[in-house]
Amino acid sequence: NVFLLSLIASASAFVPIPLHHRTSITTSLAAFGKRSTPSTTKPTYDKQTGRWEPPPNEDDSELYGPVGALLRQGPGPFITRLTKPDDYEQAVLKYQATEGCTRLEAEGNMDSYFNNAADWAFQKNAEKNGAPKIDYTILKAGDAAKTIVWALGVTPFLLRIVFLIASTGSWDVSLSDIVSI
């Protein structure tokens, strides 16, 4: 427990790493994603259906799934991917076509957008004005550790407090009330 807390305390906030500070990290776990090479074709827009279509030669085996989005950007994109998968897919394809980037880069950007649209837009504007480009696909160990601690520790603790306040009708909740079952 002490190691995990020291890891969390020493880790930086949920700030993406600029591309010029990045090291190449690849793994076989889908949650961590892999570096992909740019596709030779972009997604196309089908005017009849009003939908973006992926390029025919695109290999989606190198992408990360909802758990990867949760670990990188938190619950916002994770919930979006689970509740609105088609809207998410269309947003990714549109971004990929508009920016001419890889599918992995488009996913990372859309995950960041669904996490905090204002910060993402601010960063994109800064990049247009010369700021370093951010790689939103990188999974930093500190970010993953913080997500896990929040998911398994802090959130249940806070939910227990809310439950006790709601069930007793009193704000007089002690630590012993919270940890006793």
Side-chain angles (χ1 to χ4, degrees), residues 16-55:
I17 300 172
L19 286 176
H20 66 279
H21 289 131
R22 172 172 69 87
T23 58
S24 179
I25 299 172
T26 59
T27 180
S28 62
L29 297 175
F32 293 94
K34 295 180 184 176
R35 300 282 138 214
S36 62
T37 55
S39 175
T40 56
T41 58
K42 293 182 188 181
T44 55
Y45 185 73
D46 185 344
K47 291 180 181 179
Q48 281 187 318
T49 62
R51 298 177 49 79
W52 288 94
E53 299 296 331

PDB file of all heavy atoms in Angstrom, residues 16-55:
ATOM      1  N   PRO A  16      -1.170  14.993 -20.599  1.00  0.00           N
ATOM      2  CA  PRO A  16      -0.563  14.221 -21.679  1.00  0.00           C
ATOM      3  C   PRO A  16       0.892  14.602 -21.879  1.00  0.00           C
ATOM      4  O   PRO A  16       1.311  15.709 -21.570  1.00  0.00           O
ATOM      5  CB  PRO A  16      -1.391  14.600 -22.908  1.00  0.00           C
ATOM      6  CG  PRO A  16      -2.636  15.196 -22.370  1.00  0.00           C
ATOM      7  CD  PRO A  16      -2.289  15.793 -21.034  1.00  0.00           C
ATOM      8  N   ILE A  17       1.675  13.680 -22.408  1.00  0.00           N
ATOM      9  CA  ILE A  17       3.096  13.898 -22.652  1.00  0.00           C
ATOM     10  C   ILE A  17       3.277  14.466 -24.053  1.00  0.00           C
ATOM     11  O   ILE A  17       2.760  13.908 -25.009  1.00  0.00           O
ATOM     12  CB  ILE A  17       3.867  12.568 -22.540  1.00  0.00           C
ATOM     13  CG1 ILE A  17       3.684  11.976 -21.145  1.00  0.00           C
ATOM     14  CG2 ILE A  17       5.340  12.761 -22.853  1.00  0.00           C
ATOM     15  CD1 ILE A  17       4.237  10.582 -21.013  1.00  0.00           C
ATOM     16  N   PRO A  18       4.015  15.599 -24.189  1.00  0.00           N
ATOM     17  CA  PRO A  18       4.282  16.107 -25.534  1.00  0.00           C
ATOM     18  C   PRO A  18       5.054  15.075 -26.344  1.00  0.00           C
ATOM     19  O   PRO A  18       5.827  14.297 -25.800  1.00  0.00           O
ATOM     20  CB  PRO A  18       5.131  17.357 -25.283  1.00  0.00           C
ATOM     21  CG  PRO A  18       4.885  17.740 -23.868  1.00  0.00           C
ATOM     22  CD  PRO A  18       4.562  16.473 -23.150  1.00  0.00           C
ATOM     23  N   LEU A  19       4.869  15.086 -27.663  1.00  0.00           N
ATOM     24  CA  LEU A  19       5.512  14.098 -28.528  1.00  0.00           C
ATOM     25  C   LEU A  19       7.031  14.115 -28.409  1.00  0.00           C
ATOM     26  O   LEU A  19       7.674  13.080 -28.476  1.00  0.00           O
ATOM     27  CB  LEU A  19       5.104  14.331 -29.980  1.00  0.00           C
ATOM     28  CG  LEU A  19       3.696  13.910 -30.355  1.00  0.00           C
ATOM     29  CD1 LEU A  19       3.398  14.297 -31.794  1.00  0.00           C
ATOM     30  CD2 LEU A  19       3.495  12.422 -30.168  1.00  0.00           C
ATOM     31  N   HIS A  20       7.639  15.298 -28.201  1.00  0.00           N
ATOM     32  CA  HIS A  20       9.094  15.345 -28.151  1.00  0.00           C
ATOM     33  C   HIS A  20       9.666  14.772 -26.851  1.00  0.00           C
ATOM     34  O   HIS A  20      10.851  14.544 -26.746  1.00  0.00           O
ATOM     35  CB  HIS A  20       9.603  16.776 -28.391  1.00  0.00           C
ATOM     36  CG  HIS A  20       9.244  17.743 -27.318  1.00  0.00           C
ATOM     37  ND1 HIS A  20       8.011  18.347 -27.255  1.00  0.00           N
ATOM     38  CD2 HIS A  20       9.949  18.184 -26.254  1.00  0.00           C
ATOM     39  CE1 HIS A  20       7.979  19.149 -26.198  1.00  0.00           C
ATOM     40  NE2 HIS A  20       9.132  19.063 -25.589  1.00  0.00           N
ATOM     41  N   HIS A  21       8.831  14.517 -25.826  1.00  0.00           N
ATOM     42  CA  HIS A  21       9.270  13.877 -24.590  1.00  0.00           C
ATOM     43  C   HIS A  21       8.913  12.403 -24.550  1.00  0.00           C
ATOM     44  O   HIS A  21       9.200  11.725 -23.574  1.00  0.00           O
ATOM     45  CB  HIS A  21       8.629  14.555 -23.377  1.00  0.00           C
ATOM     46  CG  HIS A  21       9.159  15.919 -23.117  1.00  0.00           C
ATOM     47  ND1 HIS A  21       8.340  16.993 -22.909  1.00  0.00           N
ATOM     48  CD2 HIS A  21      10.425  16.382 -23.049  1.00  0.00           C
ATOM     49  CE1 HIS A  21       9.064  18.061 -22.713  1.00  0.00           C
ATOM     50  NE2 HIS A  21      10.336  17.718 -22.791  1.00  0.00           N
ATOM     51  N   ARG A  22       8.260  11.898 -25.562  1.00  0.00           N
ATOM     52  CA  ARG A  22       7.694  10.556 -25.562  1.00  0.00           C
ATOM     53  C   ARG A  22       8.739   9.530 -25.943  1.00  0.00           C
ATOM     54  O   ARG A  22       9.580   9.751 -26.777  1.00  0.00           O
ATOM     55  CB  ARG A  22       6.513  10.528 -26.546  1.00  0.00           C
ATOM     56  CG  ARG A  22       5.947   9.184 -26.813  1.00  0.00           C
ATOM     57  CD  ARG A  22       4.689   9.320 -27.628  1.00  0.00           C
ATOM     58  NE  ARG A  22       4.898   9.759 -28.975  1.00  0.00           N
ATOM     59  CZ  ARG A  22       5.160   8.970 -30.001  1.00  0.00           C
ATOM     60  NH1 ARG A  22       5.287   7.695 -29.831  1.00  0.00           N
ATOM     61  NH2 ARG A  22       5.286   9.470 -31.198  1.00  0.00           N
ATOM     62  N   THR A  23       8.636   8.366 -25.286  1.00  0.00           N
ATOM     63  CA  THR A  23       9.392   7.206 -25.726  1.00  0.00           C
ATOM     64  C   THR A  23       8.394   6.226 -26.298  1.00  0.00           C
ATOM     65  O   THR A  23       7.236   6.207 -25.908  1.00  0.00           O
ATOM     66  CB  THR A  23      10.148   6.549 -24.558  1.00  0.00           C
ATOM     67  OG1 THR A  23       9.201   6.176 -23.566  1.00  0.00           O
ATOM     68  CG2 THR A  23      11.176   7.487 -23.972  1.00  0.00           C
ATOM     69  N   SER A  24       8.830   5.409 -27.202  1.00  0.00           N
ATOM     70  CA  SER A  24       7.938   4.453 -27.838  1.00  0.00           C
ATOM     71  C   SER A  24       7.637   3.309 -26.879  1.00  0.00           C
ATOM     72  O   SER A  24       8.548   2.656 -26.387  1.00  0.00           O
ATOM     73  CB  SER A  24       8.574   3.922 -29.111  1.00  0.00           C
ATOM     74  OG  SER A  24       7.724   2.983 -29.700  1.00  0.00           O
ATOM     75  N   ILE A  25       6.366   3.088 -26.602  1.00  0.00           N
ATOM     76  CA  ILE A  25       5.945   2.020 -25.714  1.00  0.00           C
ATOM     77  C   ILE A  25       4.947   1.166 -26.463  1.00  0.00           C
ATOM     78  O   ILE A  25       3.930   1.660 -26.937  1.00  0.00           O
ATOM     79  CB  ILE A  25       5.275   2.590 -24.449  1.00  0.00           C
ATOM     80  CG1 ILE A  25       6.258   3.473 -23.681  1.00  0.00           C
ATOM     81  CG2 ILE A  25       4.755   1.467 -23.569  1.00  0.00           C
ATOM     82  CD1 ILE A  25       5.627   4.218 -22.537  1.00  0.00           C
ATOM     83  N   THR A  26       5.237  -0.102 -26.604  1.00  0.00           N
ATOM     84  CA  THR A  26       4.281  -1.004 -27.217  1.00  0.00           C
ATOM     85  C   THR A  26       4.129  -2.218 -26.340  1.00  0.00           C
ATOM     86  O   THR A  26       5.025  -2.575 -25.582  1.00  0.00           O
ATOM     87  CB  THR A  26       4.718  -1.463 -28.625  1.00  0.00           C
ATOM     88  OG1 THR A  26       5.980  -2.123 -28.510  1.00  0.00           O
ATOM     89  CG2 THR A  26       4.820  -0.298 -29.590  1.00  0.00           C
ATOM     90  N   THR A  27       2.990  -2.856 -26.418  1.00  0.00           N
ATOM     91  CA  THR A  27       2.706  -4.045 -25.634  1.00  0.00           C
ATOM     92  C   THR A  27       1.670  -4.867 -26.363  1.00  0.00           C
ATOM     93  O   THR A  27       1.022  -4.387 -27.271  1.00  0.00           O
ATOM     94  CB  THR A  27       2.218  -3.660 -24.218  1.00  0.00           C
ATOM     95  OG1 THR A  27       1.948  -4.857 -23.503  1.00  0.00           O
ATOM     96  CG2 THR A  27       0.974  -2.827 -24.269  1.00  0.00           C
ATOM     97  N   SER A  28       1.509  -6.097 -25.935  1.00  0.00           N
ATOM     98  CA  SER A  28       0.532  -6.956 -26.590  1.00  0.00           C
ATOM     99  C   SER A  28      -0.846  -6.841 -25.955  1.00  0.00           C
ATOM    100  O   SER A  28      -1.794  -7.441 -26.431  1.00  0.00           O
ATOM    101  CB  SER A  28       1.005  -8.413 -26.539  1.00  0.00           C
ATOM    102  OG  SER A  28       1.112  -8.832 -25.199  1.00  0.00           O
ATOM    103  N   LEU A  29      -0.977  -6.110 -24.861  1.00  0.00           N
ATOM    104  CA  LEU A  29      -2.279  -5.960 -24.227  1.00  0.00           C
ATOM    105  C   LEU A  29      -3.100  -4.910 -24.956  1.00  0.00           C
ATOM    106  O   LEU A  29      -2.637  -3.796 -25.173  1.00  0.00           O
ATOM    107  CB  LEU A  29      -2.121  -5.553 -22.756  1.00  0.00           C
ATOM    108  CG  LEU A  29      -1.401  -6.562 -21.875  1.00  0.00           C
ATOM    109  CD1 LEU A  29      -1.208  -5.983 -20.489  1.00  0.00           C
ATOM    110  CD2 LEU A  29      -2.175  -7.862 -21.808  1.00  0.00           C
ATOM    111  N   ALA A  30      -4.336  -5.243 -25.293  1.00  0.00           N
ATOM    112  CA  ALA A  30      -5.179  -4.320 -26.053  1.00  0.00           C
ATOM    113  C   ALA A  30      -5.456  -3.042 -25.278  1.00  0.00           C
ATOM    114  O   ALA A  30      -5.648  -1.997 -25.858  1.00  0.00           O
ATOM    115  CB  ALA A  30      -6.488  -4.998 -26.432  1.00  0.00           C
ATOM    116  N   ALA A  31      -5.483  -3.101 -23.956  1.00  0.00           N
ATOM    117  CA  ALA A  31      -5.757  -1.912 -23.156  1.00  0.00           C
ATOM    118  C   ALA A  31      -4.657  -0.871 -23.315  1.00  0.00           C
ATOM    119  O   ALA A  31      -4.891   0.312 -23.145  1.00  0.00           O
ATOM    120  CB  ALA A  31      -5.898  -2.274 -21.677  1.00  0.00           C
ATOM    121  N   PHE A  32      -3.441  -1.316 -23.650  1.00  0.00           N
ATOM    122  CA  PHE A  32      -2.336  -0.391 -23.768  1.00  0.00           C
ATOM    123  C   PHE A  32      -2.146   0.136 -25.173  1.00  0.00           C
ATOM    124  O   PHE A  32      -1.470   1.109 -25.386  1.00  0.00           O
ATOM    125  CB  PHE A  32      -1.043  -1.049 -23.280  1.00  0.00           C
ATOM    126  CG  PHE A  32      -1.064  -1.335 -21.814  1.00  0.00           C
ATOM    127  CD1 PHE A  32      -1.453  -2.572 -21.345  1.00  0.00           C
ATOM    128  CD2 PHE A  32      -0.739  -0.349 -20.911  1.00  0.00           C
ATOM    129  CE1 PHE A  32      -1.483  -2.824 -19.990  1.00  0.00           C
ATOM    130  CE2 PHE A  32      -0.776  -0.593 -19.553  1.00  0.00           C
ATOM    131  CZ  PHE A  32      -1.145  -1.843 -19.088  1.00  0.00           C
ATOM    132  N   GLY A  33      -2.730  -0.512 -26.162  1.00  0.00           N
ATOM    133  CA  GLY A  33      -2.635  -0.079 -27.545  1.00  0.00           C
ATOM    134  C   GLY A  33      -1.255  -0.311 -28.117  1.00  0.00           C
ATOM    135  O   GLY A  33      -0.337  -0.707 -27.430  1.00  0.00           O
ATOM    136  N   LYS A  34      -1.126  -0.077 -29.387  1.00  0.00           N
ATOM    137  CA  LYS A  34       0.142  -0.227 -30.087  1.00  0.00           C
ATOM    138  C   LYS A  34       0.299   0.936 -31.047  1.00  0.00           C
ATOM    139  O   LYS A  34      -0.665   1.561 -31.445  1.00  0.00           O
ATOM    140  CB  LYS A  34       0.175  -1.531 -30.888  1.00  0.00           C
ATOM    141  CG  LYS A  34       0.120  -2.776 -30.050  1.00  0.00           C
ATOM    142  CD  LYS A  34       0.153  -3.984 -30.967  1.00  0.00           C
ATOM    143  CE  LYS A  34      -0.008  -5.260 -30.184  1.00  0.00           C
ATOM    144  NZ  LYS A  34      -0.079  -6.420 -31.060  1.00  0.00           N
ATOM    145  N   ARG A  35       1.509   1.199 -31.426  1.00  0.00           N
ATOM    146  CA  ARG A  35       1.757   2.223 -32.422  1.00  0.00           C
ATOM    147  C   ARG A  35       1.328   1.680 -33.771  1.00  0.00           C
ATOM    148  O   ARG A  35       1.672   0.562 -34.144  1.00  0.00           O
ATOM    149  CB  ARG A  35       3.238   2.569 -32.485  1.00  0.00           C
ATOM    150  CG  ARG A  35       3.776   3.091 -31.202  1.00  0.00           C
ATOM    151  CD  ARG A  35       3.369   4.540 -31.012  1.00  0.00           C
ATOM    152  NE  ARG A  35       2.982   4.676 -29.624  1.00  0.00           N
ATOM    153  CZ  ARG A  35       2.050   5.461 -29.188  1.00  0.00           C
ATOM    154  NH1 ARG A  35       1.365   6.214 -29.997  1.00  0.00           N
ATOM    155  NH2 ARG A  35       1.752   5.532 -27.925  1.00  0.00           N
ATOM    156  N   SER A  36       0.566   2.450 -34.499  1.00  0.00           N
ATOM    157  CA  SER A  36       0.155   1.991 -35.826  1.00  0.00           C
ATOM    158  C   SER A  36       0.773   2.888 -36.888  1.00  0.00           C
ATOM    159  O   SER A  36       1.100   4.036 -36.629  1.00  0.00           O
ATOM    160  CB  SER A  36      -1.370   2.011 -35.954  1.00  0.00           C
ATOM    161  OG  SER A  36      -1.853   3.314 -35.808  1.00  0.00           O
ATOM    162  N   THR A  37       0.930   2.346 -38.054  1.00  0.00           N
ATOM    163  CA  THR A  37       1.445   3.130 -39.163  1.00  0.00           C
ATOM    164  C   THR A  37       0.272   3.794 -39.862  1.00  0.00           C
ATOM    165  O   THR A  37      -0.837   3.254 -39.868  1.00  0.00           O
ATOM    166  CB  THR A  37       2.212   2.243 -40.158  1.00  0.00           C
ATOM    167  OG1 THR A  37       1.348   1.191 -40.565  1.00  0.00           O
ATOM    168  CG2 THR A  37       3.456   1.672 -39.526  1.00  0.00           C
ATOM    169  N   PRO A  38       0.462   4.965 -40.416  1.00  0.00           N
ATOM    170  CA  PRO A  38      -0.647   5.666 -41.057  1.00  0.00           C
ATOM    171  C   PRO A  38      -1.264   4.831 -42.184  1.00  0.00           C
ATOM    172  O   PRO A  38      -0.573   4.167 -42.936  1.00  0.00           O
ATOM    173  CB  PRO A  38      -0.005   6.939 -41.615  1.00  0.00           C
ATOM    174  CG  PRO A  38       1.244   7.121 -40.824  1.00  0.00           C
ATOM    175  CD  PRO A  38       1.690   5.752 -40.428  1.00  0.00           C
ATOM    176  N   SER A  39      -2.556   4.888 -42.256  1.00  0.00           N
ATOM    177  CA  SER A  39      -3.276   4.195 -43.314  1.00  0.00           C
ATOM    178  C   SER A  39      -3.044   4.944 -44.622  1.00  0.00           C
ATOM    179  O   SER A  39      -2.858   6.155 -44.633  1.00  0.00           O
ATOM    180  CB  SER A  39      -4.764   4.184 -42.972  1.00  0.00           C
ATOM    181  OG  SER A  39      -5.512   3.637 -44.017  1.00  0.00           O
ATOM    182  N   THR A  40      -3.080   4.208 -45.720  1.00  0.00           N
ATOM    183  CA  THR A  40      -2.863   4.856 -47.007  1.00  0.00           C
ATOM    184  C   THR A  40      -4.108   5.606 -47.474  1.00  0.00           C
ATOM    185  O   THR A  40      -4.020   6.465 -48.331  1.00  0.00           O
ATOM    186  CB  THR A  40      -2.462   3.816 -48.068  1.00  0.00           C
ATOM    187  OG1 THR A  40      -3.469   2.809 -48.119  1.00  0.00           O
ATOM    188  CG2 THR A  40      -1.115   3.197 -47.737  1.00  0.00           C
ATOM    189  N   THR A  41      -5.250   5.272 -46.926  1.00  0.00           N
ATOM    190  CA  THR A  41      -6.480   5.972 -47.292  1.00  0.00           C
ATOM    191  C   THR A  41      -7.177   6.492 -46.053  1.00  0.00           C
ATOM    192  O   THR A  41      -7.008   5.973 -44.959  1.00  0.00           O
ATOM    193  CB  THR A  41      -7.438   5.030 -48.052  1.00  0.00           C
ATOM    194  OG1 THR A  41      -7.726   3.912 -47.223  1.00  0.00           O
ATOM    195  CG2 THR A  41      -6.841   4.563 -49.353  1.00  0.00           C
ATOM    196  N   LYS A  42      -7.950   7.527 -46.250  1.00  0.00           N
ATOM    197  CA  LYS A  42      -8.711   8.136 -45.163  1.00  0.00           C
ATOM    198  C   LYS A  42     -10.115   7.547 -45.132  1.00  0.00           C
ATOM    199  O   LYS A  42     -10.588   7.001 -46.126  1.00  0.00           O
ATOM    200  CB  LYS A  42      -8.847   9.638 -45.404  1.00  0.00           C
ATOM    201  CG  LYS A  42      -7.591  10.420 -45.333  1.00  0.00           C
ATOM    202  CD  LYS A  42      -7.945  11.883 -45.542  1.00  0.00           C
ATOM    203  CE  LYS A  42      -6.756  12.772 -45.673  1.00  0.00           C
ATOM    204  NZ  LYS A  42      -7.139  14.164 -45.854  1.00  0.00           N
ATOM    205  N   PRO A  43     -10.803   7.717 -43.990  1.00  0.00           N
ATOM    206  CA  PRO A  43     -12.223   7.369 -43.985  1.00  0.00           C
ATOM    207  C   PRO A  43     -12.961   8.228 -45.003  1.00  0.00           C
ATOM    208  O   PRO A  43     -12.554   9.345 -45.312  1.00  0.00           O
ATOM    209  CB  PRO A  43     -12.670   7.711 -42.563  1.00  0.00           C
ATOM    210  CG  PRO A  43     -11.421   7.690 -41.762  1.00  0.00           C
ATOM    211  CD  PRO A  43     -10.327   8.138 -42.683  1.00  0.00           C
ATOM    212  N   THR A  44     -14.049   7.703 -45.529  1.00  0.00           N
ATOM    213  CA  THR A  44     -14.840   8.436 -46.515  1.00  0.00           C
ATOM    214  C   THR A  44     -16.236   8.697 -45.965  1.00  0.00           C
ATOM    215  O   THR A  44     -16.744   7.933 -45.145  1.00  0.00           O
ATOM    216  CB  THR A  44     -14.951   7.653 -47.827  1.00  0.00           C
ATOM    217  OG1 THR A  44     -15.478   6.359 -47.548  1.00  0.00           O
ATOM    218  CG2 THR A  44     -13.598   7.508 -48.494  1.00  0.00           C
ATOM    219  N   TYR A  45     -16.824   9.777 -46.450  1.00  0.00           N
ATOM    220  CA  TYR A  45     -18.171  10.137 -46.025  1.00  0.00           C
ATOM    221  C   TYR A  45     -19.158   9.667 -47.084  1.00  0.00           C
ATOM    222  O   TYR A  45     -19.053  10.023 -48.253  1.00  0.00           O
ATOM    223  CB  TYR A  45     -18.282  11.649 -45.820  1.00  0.00           C
ATOM    224  CG  TYR A  45     -19.619  12.067 -45.266  1.00  0.00           C
ATOM    225  CD1 TYR A  45     -19.951  11.815 -43.934  1.00  0.00           C
ATOM    226  CD2 TYR A  45     -20.554  12.709 -46.061  1.00  0.00           C
ATOM    227  CE1 TYR A  45     -21.175  12.195 -43.424  1.00  0.00           C
ATOM    228  CE2 TYR A  45     -21.776  13.095 -45.559  1.00  0.00           C
ATOM    229  CZ  TYR A  45     -22.079  12.836 -44.237  1.00  0.00           C
ATOM    230  OH  TYR A  45     -23.293  13.210 -43.728  1.00  0.00           O
ATOM    231  N   ASP A  46     -20.115   8.851 -46.672  1.00  0.00           N
ATOM    232  CA  ASP A  46     -21.148   8.346 -47.572  1.00  0.00           C
ATOM    233  C   ASP A  46     -22.348   9.295 -47.477  1.00  0.00           C
ATOM    234  O   ASP A  46     -23.046   9.325 -46.469  1.00  0.00           O
ATOM    235  CB  ASP A  46     -21.546   6.929 -47.168  1.00  0.00           C
ATOM    236  CG  ASP A  46     -22.527   6.293 -48.133  1.00  0.00           C
ATOM    237  OD1 ASP A  46     -23.149   7.016 -48.943  1.00  0.00           O
ATOM    238  OD2 ASP A  46     -22.688   5.060 -48.063  1.00  0.00           O
ATOM    239  N   LYS A  47     -22.581  10.065 -48.536  1.00  0.00           N
ATOM    240  CA  LYS A  47     -23.660  11.053 -48.518  1.00  0.00           C
ATOM    241  C   LYS A  47     -25.040  10.406 -48.465  1.00  0.00           C
ATOM    242  O   LYS A  47     -25.978  11.005 -47.936  1.00  0.00           O
ATOM    243  CB  LYS A  47     -23.561  11.967 -49.738  1.00  0.00           C
ATOM    244  CG  LYS A  47     -22.354  12.868 -49.682  1.00  0.00           C
ATOM    245  CD  LYS A  47     -22.273  13.767 -50.883  1.00  0.00           C
ATOM    246  CE  LYS A  47     -21.026  14.632 -50.801  1.00  0.00           C
ATOM    247  NZ  LYS A  47     -20.875  15.510 -51.945  1.00  0.00           N
ATOM    248  N   GLN A  48     -25.176   9.195 -48.992  1.00  0.00           N
ATOM    249  CA  GLN A  48     -26.473   8.510 -48.951  1.00  0.00           C
ATOM    250  C   GLN A  48     -26.873   8.136 -47.529  1.00  0.00           C
ATOM    251  O   GLN A  48     -28.014   8.321 -47.136  1.00  0.00           O
ATOM    252  CB  GLN A  48     -26.447   7.246 -49.813  1.00  0.00           C
ATOM    253  CG  GLN A  48     -26.605   7.506 -51.282  1.00  0.00           C
ATOM    254  CD  GLN A  48     -26.730   6.190 -52.037  1.00  0.00           C
ATOM    255  OE1 GLN A  48     -26.017   5.238 -51.751  1.00  0.00           O
ATOM    256  NE2 GLN A  48     -27.645   6.161 -52.996  1.00  0.00           N
ATOM    257  N   THR A  49     -25.937   7.591 -46.786  1.00  0.00           N
ATOM    258  CA  THR A  49     -26.258   7.159 -45.420  1.00  0.00           C
ATOM    259  C   THR A  49     -25.979   8.243 -44.391  1.00  0.00           C
ATOM    260  O   THR A  49     -26.459   8.167 -43.261  1.00  0.00           O
ATOM    261  CB  THR A  49     -25.449   5.909 -45.037  1.00  0.00           C
ATOM    262  OG1 THR A  49     -24.058   6.221 -45.074  1.00  0.00           O
ATOM    263  CG2 THR A  49     -25.760   4.747 -45.959  1.00  0.00           C
ATOM    264  N   GLY A  50     -25.185   9.246 -44.771  1.00  0.00           N
ATOM    265  CA  GLY A  50     -24.830  10.301 -43.825  1.00  0.00           C
ATOM    266  C   GLY A  50     -23.863   9.805 -42.761  1.00  0.00           C
ATOM    267  O   GLY A  50     -23.852  10.317 -41.642  1.00  0.00           O
ATOM    268  N   ARG A  51     -23.034   8.810 -43.124  1.00  0.00           N
ATOM    269  CA  ARG A  51     -22.119   8.210 -42.158  1.00  0.00           C
ATOM    270  C   ARG A  51     -20.700   8.152 -42.718  1.00  0.00           C
ATOM    271  O   ARG A  51     -20.502   8.047 -43.916  1.00  0.00           O
ATOM    272  CB  ARG A  51     -22.576   6.786 -41.810  1.00  0.00           C
ATOM    273  CG  ARG A  51     -23.945   6.735 -41.165  1.00  0.00           C
ATOM    274  CD  ARG A  51     -24.406   5.318 -40.888  1.00  0.00           C
ATOM    275  NE  ARG A  51     -23.424   4.482 -40.216  1.00  0.00           N
ATOM    276  CZ  ARG A  51     -23.160   4.517 -38.908  1.00  0.00           C
ATOM    277  NH1 ARG A  51     -23.823   5.342 -38.137  1.00  0.00           N
ATOM    278  NH2 ARG A  51     -22.270   3.708 -38.381  1.00  0.00           N
ATOM    279  N   TRP A  52     -19.736   8.199 -41.802  1.00  0.00           N
ATOM    280  CA  TRP A  52     -18.338   8.012 -42.158  1.00  0.00           C
ATOM    281  C   TRP A  52     -18.064   6.518 -42.238  1.00  0.00           C
ATOM    282  O   TRP A  52     -18.507   5.749 -41.387  1.00  0.00           O
ATOM    283  CB  TRP A  52     -17.431   8.662 -41.111  1.00  0.00           C
ATOM    284  CG  TRP A  52     -17.456  10.144 -41.173  1.00  0.00           C
ATOM    285  CD1 TRP A  52     -18.239  10.989 -40.450  1.00  0.00           C
ATOM    286  CD2 TRP A  52     -16.681  10.968 -42.032  1.00  0.00           C
ATOM    287  NE1 TRP A  52     -18.002  12.288 -40.806  1.00  0.00           N
ATOM    288  CE2 TRP A  52     -17.035  12.297 -41.773  1.00  0.00           C
ATOM    289  CE3 TRP A  52     -15.704  10.711 -42.993  1.00  0.00           C
ATOM    290  CZ2 TRP A  52     -16.459  13.367 -42.435  1.00  0.00           C
ATOM    291  CZ3 TRP A  52     -15.129  11.776 -43.651  1.00  0.00           C
ATOM    292  CH2 TRP A  52     -15.502  13.087 -43.378  1.00  0.00           C
ATOM    293  N   GLU A  53     -17.302   6.113 -43.249  1.00  0.00           N
ATOM    294  CA  GLU A  53     -16.942   4.710 -43.450  1.00  0.00           C
ATOM    295  C   GLU A  53     -15.431   4.565 -43.282  1.00  0.00           C
ATOM    296  O   GLU A  53     -14.671   5.364 -43.831  1.00  0.00           O
ATOM    297  CB  GLU A  53     -17.352   4.235 -44.849  1.00  0.00           C
ATOM    298  CG  GLU A  53     -18.841   4.324 -45.116  1.00  0.00           C
ATOM    299  CD  GLU A  53     -19.691   3.430 -44.233  1.00  0.00           C
ATOM    300  OE1 GLU A  53     -19.181   2.365 -43.808  1.00  0.00           O
ATOM    301  OE2 GLU A  53     -20.838   3.795 -43.951  1.00  0.00           O
ATOM    302  N   PRO A  54     -14.985   3.546 -42.537  1.00  0.00           N
ATOM    303  CA  PRO A  54     -13.535   3.360 -42.362  1.00  0.00           C
ATOM    304  C   PRO A  54     -12.875   2.946 -43.665  1.00  0.00           C
ATOM    305  O   PRO A  54     -13.529   2.379 -44.541  1.00  0.00           O
ATOM    306  CB  PRO A  54     -13.438   2.252 -41.316  1.00  0.00           C
ATOM    307  CG  PRO A  54     -14.733   1.544 -41.360  1.00  0.00           C
ATOM    308  CD  PRO A  54     -15.759   2.539 -41.832  1.00  0.00           C
ATOM    309  N   PRO A  55     -11.577   3.210 -43.776  1.00  0.00           N
ATOM    310  CA  PRO A  55     -10.871   2.763 -44.979  1.00  0.00           C
ATOM    311  C   PRO A  55     -10.906   1.232 -45.052  1.00  0.00           C
ATOM    312  O   PRO A  55     -10.862   0.558 -44.025  1.00  0.00           O
ATOM    313  CB  PRO A  55      -9.435   3.255 -44.783  1.00  0.00           C
ATOM    314  CG  PRO A  55      -9.408   4.036 -43.543  1.00  0.00           C
ATOM    315  CD  PRO A  55     -10.712   3.925 -42.861  1.00  0.00           C
TER     316      PRO A  55
END
